[in-house]
Amino acid sequence: MFPTVVFSVHSACSDAAGITGNILAFVLFVSPIPTFKRILRNKSTQQFSGLPYIYSLLNCLICLWYGMPFISPGVILVATVNSIGAIFQLVYVTIFIIYADKPKKLKMSGLLVSVFAIYGIIAYVSIELFDSQTRRFFVGCLCVASLISMFASPLFIIKLVVKSRSVEFMPFTLSLSTFLMSLSFFVYGMLKDDPFIYVPNGIGTILGIVQLILYSYYSSKSREGSREPLLGSYA
């Protein structure tokens, strides 16, 4: 009886962590909507880059494949979050291609075809060439590599904040959501005993903490700086 209760609690906790991660990821997936509203309104991509959405689409597809039951049984919430993410990224890329000028349109179209070609090759190789255990390891390593490569963005933002001593380019809500999502999937991966989930999300959690610390430090510095001239004017 006791082992059954423990298993039920463990399963409930892992599901709760995974569902929380899905919800927080959804917040991040919808965050570019204002940018694309602007693109639709102006009927031009202007100076915006479509590359982050191409990279995010490939990342979502690889992680979606890893979460499929015939690759990694028991981590279906990884598949659900990345299927939703892939749909959002595909919509963003499609809008970008429609409203981009001709050189960007051709480049983005080529990259989109390349993303699906890479995904197709990964799917084919993992199914045809490997047994179930090796398949999970192969796709899991690709998933970790893909997720870690996505950390280039927060690292760039951290560098920018330190260099400029300003949190202008690091919105608090986005930083908090990223941290909480990484933490949720880190817990989910730990409870599922899946290093391919908890390792990259553990790194993401650490980077999230660093971002929040920097936000707290530099936003307080900014407030102090904004008060100094005001006090000086009354001297």
Side-chain angles (χ1 to χ4, degrees), residues 11 16-17 48-49 68 79 140 146 185 199 201 204 215 224:
S11 179
F48 294 115
S49 172
M68 298 300 286
S146 177
F185 276 110
V199 169
N201 283 289
Y215 187 93
E224 288 172 8

Short mmCIF file of all heavy atoms in Angstrom, two decimals, residues 11 16-17 48-49 68 79 140 146 185 199 201 204 215 224:
data_model
loop_
_atom_site.label_atom_id
_atom_site.label_comp_id
_atom_site.label_asym_id
_atom_site.label_seq_id
_atom_site.Cartn_x
_atom_site.Cartn_y
_atom_site.Cartn_z
N SER A 11 4.21 10.55 -9.11
CA SER A 11 3.64 10.75 -10.44
C SER A 11 2.88 12.08 -10.52
O SER A 11 3.00 12.82 -11.51
CB SER A 11 2.69 9.59 -10.78
OG SER A 11 2.10 9.77 -12.03
N ALA A 16 2.56 17.63 -12.31
CA ALA A 16 2.33 19.03 -11.95
C ALA A 16 3.47 19.92 -12.46
O ALA A 16 3.24 21.00 -13.00
CB ALA A 16 2.18 19.17 -10.44
N ALA A 17 4.71 19.43 -12.30
CA ALA A 17 5.88 20.18 -12.76
C ALA A 17 5.86 20.32 -14.28
O ALA A 17 6.12 21.40 -14.83
CB ALA A 17 7.17 19.50 -12.31
N PHE A 48 13.52 43.57 -38.38
CA PHE A 48 13.43 42.36 -37.55
C PHE A 48 14.12 41.20 -38.25
O PHE A 48 14.12 41.09 -39.47
CB PHE A 48 11.97 42.01 -37.27
CG PHE A 48 11.24 43.01 -36.43
CD1 PHE A 48 10.18 43.74 -36.94
CD2 PHE A 48 11.63 43.24 -35.12
CE1 PHE A 48 9.52 44.67 -36.16
CE2 PHE A 48 10.97 44.17 -34.33
CZ PHE A 48 9.91 44.89 -34.86
N SER A 49 14.68 40.30 -37.43
CA SER A 49 15.32 39.09 -37.96
C SER A 49 14.42 37.88 -37.74
O SER A 49 13.79 37.75 -36.68
CB SER A 49 16.67 38.86 -37.25
OG SER A 49 17.21 37.61 -37.62
N MET A 68 8.32 11.91 -27.92
CA MET A 68 7.36 10.93 -28.43
C MET A 68 7.51 9.60 -27.70
O MET A 68 8.62 9.18 -27.39
CB MET A 68 7.57 10.73 -29.93
CG MET A 68 7.33 12.00 -30.77
SD MET A 68 5.64 12.64 -30.59
CE MET A 68 4.74 11.44 -31.57
N ALA A 79 6.67 16.35 -25.30
CA ALA A 79 6.12 16.37 -26.66
C ALA A 79 5.03 17.42 -26.80
O ALA A 79 4.97 18.13 -27.81
CB ALA A 79 5.59 14.98 -27.02
N GLY A 140 18.23 12.09 -27.58
CA GLY A 140 18.43 12.84 -26.34
C GLY A 140 19.64 13.74 -26.41
O GLY A 140 19.60 14.90 -25.97
N SER A 146 20.73 20.96 -28.79
CA SER A 146 19.84 22.00 -29.32
C SER A 146 19.44 22.99 -28.24
O SER A 146 19.46 24.21 -28.45
CB SER A 146 18.60 21.35 -29.93
OG SER A 146 17.70 22.32 -30.40
N PHE A 185 10.78 22.36 -15.69
CA PHE A 185 11.22 21.19 -16.45
C PHE A 185 12.46 20.54 -15.84
O PHE A 185 12.69 19.34 -16.04
CB PHE A 185 11.46 21.57 -17.92
CG PHE A 185 10.21 21.56 -18.73
CD1 PHE A 185 9.65 22.73 -19.19
CD2 PHE A 185 9.56 20.36 -19.01
CE1 PHE A 185 8.46 22.73 -19.92
CE2 PHE A 185 8.39 20.34 -19.74
CZ PHE A 185 7.83 21.52 -20.19
N VAL A 199 19.38 18.14 -17.30
CA VAL A 199 20.68 18.80 -17.50
C VAL A 199 20.54 20.14 -18.22
O VAL A 199 20.97 21.18 -17.69
CB VAL A 199 21.68 17.88 -18.25
CG1 VAL A 199 22.92 18.67 -18.69
CG2 VAL A 199 22.11 16.72 -17.35
N ASN A 201 17.88 21.97 -18.70
CA ASN A 201 17.00 22.87 -17.96
C ASN A 201 17.63 23.32 -16.64
O ASN A 201 17.29 24.39 -16.12
CB ASN A 201 15.64 22.21 -17.72
CG ASN A 201 14.79 22.23 -18.98
OD1 ASN A 201 14.30 23.26 -19.41
ND2 ASN A 201 14.61 21.06 -19.58
N GLY A 204 19.59 26.17 -17.80
CA GLY A 204 18.65 27.26 -18.02
C GLY A 204 18.20 27.91 -16.73
O GLY A 204 18.04 29.14 -16.66
N TYR A 215 18.96 41.78 -12.95
CA TYR A 215 17.82 42.71 -13.06
C TYR A 215 17.63 43.47 -11.75
O TYR A 215 17.45 44.68 -11.73
CB TYR A 215 16.54 41.95 -13.41
CG TYR A 215 15.39 42.88 -13.70
CD1 TYR A 215 15.11 43.29 -14.99
CD2 TYR A 215 14.58 43.38 -12.67
CE1 TYR A 215 14.08 44.17 -15.26
CE2 TYR A 215 13.55 44.26 -12.92
CZ TYR A 215 13.30 44.65 -14.23
OH TYR A 215 12.29 45.53 -14.48
N GLU A 224 18.42 54.51 -8.17
CA GLU A 224 19.27 55.40 -7.38
C GLU A 224 19.80 56.54 -8.24
O GLU A 224 19.82 57.70 -7.84
CB GLU A 224 20.45 54.61 -6.79
CG GLU A 224 20.04 53.67 -5.67
CD GLU A 224 21.20 52.77 -5.25
OE1 GLU A 224 22.34 53.01 -5.72
OE2 GLU A 224 20.97 51.85 -4.45
#
